[in-house]
Amino acid sequence: MDDDPKPQPPVEPDALDCCGEGCVPCIHDIHEQAMERYRKALAAWLARHPEATG
């Protein structure tokens, strides 16, 4: 059992998921925020697992 699984990137929204009405935040903004959290989590995970290759 792996107590420290590698973070997985968030699912990218489909272009049709955006309504195009200028929502704040837009689904694409939410995805970018999730990607930033993922990048940070992945960097921390890689620091804990130097044997892994991104």
Side-chain angles (χ1 to χ4, degrees), residues 8-54:
Q8 298 299 306
V11 176
E12 185 172 354
D14 187 271
L16 297 176
D17 290 340
C18 176
C19 69
E21 299 206 9
C23 300
V24 178
C26 174
I27 192 165
H28 296 290
D29 298 329
I30 294 169
H31 178 259
E32 184 53 40
Q33 292 168 356
M35 282 298 297
E36 183 60 29
R37 288 189 301 273
Y38 163 72
R39 287 188 284 269
K40 289 178 181 179
L42 181 60
W45 186 87
L46 287 170
R48 293 188 306 273
H49 298 273
E51 73 285 355
T53 60

